[in-house]
Structures are given as C-alpha cells and as structure tokens.
Amino acid sequence: MLVVQLLINGIQSGALYALIAVGFSLIFGCTRIFHFAHGATFTIAAYIFYYLYSMAQFHWALAVLASTIGAIIFGVVLDKWIYAPIQRHEGSFFTVFVASLGIGIIVQNLIGMIFGRGFVSVATPLSESIELMPGLFIAPLSGLAVICMLVFFFALQVFLNRTHIGIAMRALSENPALVRIYGLNPRHLSTMVFAIGSVLVVPAAILTGASSGLNPAIAHHVMLISLAATIVGGVGSMKGAALAGMLLGITENFALIYLGPQWSEAVTFVMLFLFILLRPSGFFGREIAT
C-alpha cells in the first residue's frame, strides 16, 4: 500500500512540476533567455494567493485572478524593462542570466521581509485527504493537479500548433528576421511568450501552497525542477518537459522509501547528471520549441 500511496503523491507532484517546467521550457525555447526568475514568478503568484485567500479572506476566484495578473505583470515587466534593454545594448546570454538571478534573489528577500521566512500553508477543503482504503489516502488536490496539467498542456499545444501567433512564437528563437517579414514584431512575441509562461506556473504555485506549503526560498527548488526537466525532456520540447516533470515527481516520492525528504533535491541532481552523461539531448532533444 505504501508503494501505491507514493505513486499517487508522485503523480500529484509530477503534475505540478510539469506545469512549472513547461512554462520555463516555453520561455527558454522561444526566446533563448535563461529565465532564472521563473522561480520568483512562482513565489509571487503563490504568496499573492496566500495573502488574499488565507489572510484577507477574499473569494478563491478573486485570489486566483489576482495571482494570475501578478504573475503576468512580473514576467512582462522583466522582459520589457530588464531583458530587452540588456539584449539591445549588449546581447550577452550571461549578462541576462545574472540580471535574472539578481531579480530572483531580490524577490526572495522582499517576500521574506513581508511574510517571514518560515513555512506557510493555504488551508482549503480540497487539501483534506480521504481514506480510500486502509493505509491509502488521497486528497482532491491530487486530481485537480492532474486535470490542470492536462488542460493547460493541451491548450498550449493547440495554441502553438494551430494559431499563427503560436507558430510565430515557435519560430522566434530560430529566425526573428522571418517573423518580421510576416509583419510581426519579435519583441511583442517575446512579451507574449513571457506572459503565457508566467501563467503556466500559477496553478502549480496555488496548489503547492495548498498541499505542501510555501517559504520564500522555494524559488530555488522551482528553478532546479525547471532546469532538470528542460534538460531531461530535451531543450525546447514542451512534451519532453511535461514528461520529465512527471518523472521527477514520481522519482522523488519513490526515493522516500530509502531516503529522507531532505534528499529530494539530491535525487533530482542525480537524474540530471545521469541524463547529461548518458543522453545529453534528453527524451525529445530539439533545438527549437515544439
């Protein structure tokens, strides 16, 4: 029964990891910007929902809407006012990365100053586990996490493959000049990519707060998952990132049979190193977003 319980927990974690990883993979695959502050977007969305729903007692729908708007604004502002000027004047990949890293650290410290550095959690009726049979517990959040992952991933695939804007976004990293020929502005497309990638972390942020809890330093774990899933799944591959996120969540939970929870990040690093050594291209290694 323990194995079944860990599998259920792993699927829930994996679904949330998949959403996080797909958002990061979309941004990196389309813009070639190593968006380290993706973890900060997650943290901002999570704490906005926590404050409005748990502390201010807003209706959950308003809290979700505010969390989504906050994530979009943060991602768009970074793209337009931080990344774009750096790329315009220098264009250095490393400089953009350092700027993103700095923003992430600033956000972590600001949230720590406002909410404290300890763990907080969002109590919802969906967080309460139901005993299906002796020794097997499942919370409605588990099913909701999987549903959100499937719905968001399907909607993203339809958008990227069936719409002109989506196809242009996929071509953005490979041939910006071609995008201009078709009358589209690469900068506007980049901003749209950041907006969509930021939205993808919102359900994961909210459900994480309602299941395992939050602390300001959670952004580092989010970025580790994003990076590992992107490499394991194949750089630029949305389905690869989603599959790798699921695999990481399940592997982390099964590792609890032999290791303590403090070793979960070590398990992620081991998987990452194995793929780098044995299959550097990942599951679906490609050089453009798919």
Side-chain angles (χ1 to χ4, degrees):
M1 198 59 67
L2 175 61
V3 172
V4 178
Q5 183 69 67
L6 291 175
L7 177 61
I8 292 173
N9 295 344
I11 291 173
Q12 176 185 339
S13 300
L16 301 182
Y17 289 171
L19 284 169
I20 295 167
V22 168
F24 177 81
S25 183
L26 174 69
I27 292 173
F28 183 72
C30 292
T31 68
R32 292 303 185 224
I33 291 175
F34 194 96
H35 183 43
F36 191 90
H38 191 62
T41 307
F42 177 99
T43 311
I44 288 171
Y47 273 90
I48 289 176
F49 183 83
Y50 163 73
Y51 174 77
L52 293 179
Y53 181 76
S54 296
M55 299 180 67
Q57 300 295 307
F58 277 52
H59 189 275
W60 66 267
L62 292 176
V64 169
L65 178 61
S67 181
T68 304
I69 293 173
I72 292 173
I73 291 174
F74 180 73
V76 168
V77 166
L78 279 186
D79 179 56
K80 296 191 68 164
W81 300 104
I82 303 296
Y83 299 149
I86 292 175
Q87 289 181 316
R88 187 164 54 246
H89 291 98
E90 184 175 335
S92 168
F93 177 91
F94 182 72
T95 304
V96 174
F97 165 72
V98 170
S100 185
L101 173 63
I103 293 294
I105 294 173
I106 291 171
V107 169
Q108 176 182 328
N109 283 277
L110 286 175
I111 290 178
M113 291 169 58
I114 297 171
F115 295 99
R117 300 188 182 276
F119 269 90
V120 299
S121 60
V122 180
T124 73
L126 299 178
S127 304
E128 299 176 4
S129 296
I130 302 170
E131 189 173 13
L132 296 181
M133 57 184 67
L136 182 61
F137 296 85
I138 185 170
L141 279 180
S142 299
L144 184 59
V146 174
I147 291 171
C148 284
M149 187 271 290
L150 293 174
V151 169
F152 276 73
F153 183 74
F154 176 76
L156 179 64
Q157 287 297 308
V158 170
F159 177 76
L160 290 177
N161 293 294
R162 301 291 179 84
T163 68
H164 295 299
I165 298 296
I167 294 172
M169 286 168 55
R170 294 171 58 199
L172 181 61
S173 66
E174 186 176 355
N175 198 337
L178 182 62
V179 172
R180 292 190 184 92
I181 290 174
Y182 283 94
L184 297 173
N185 188 323
R187 281 305 320 156
H188 292 167
L189 288 175
S190 177
T191 299
M192 188 175 296
V193 168
F194 271 86
I196 296 173
S198 298
V199 167
L200 288 171
V201 305
V202 174
I206 293 172
L207 294 176
T208 298
S211 56
S212 57
L214 307 165
N215 77 327
I218 198 172
H220 296 302
H221 184 66
V222 170
M223 272 313 304
L224 172 60
I225 293 300
S226 299
L227 178 60
T230 298
I231 293 175
V232 171
V235 175
S237 172
M238 303 297 108
K239 61 182 177 182
L243 179 60
M246 289 293 297
L247 178 62
L248 288 170
I250 293 172
T251 302
E252 280 188 5
N253 277 271
F254 273 113
L256 295 175
I257 298 176
Y258 306 103
L259 304 171
Q262 69 271 21
W263 293 97
S264 62
E265 290 194 356
V267 172
T268 303
F269 271 115
V270 169
M271 284 192 61
L272 178 59
F273 289 146
L274 286 175
F275 267 83
I276 290 175
L277 292 174
L278 303 177
R279 190 178 174 84
S281 62
F283 288 135
F284 306 100
R286 296 182 183 181
E287 296 184 354
I288 58 174
T290 61

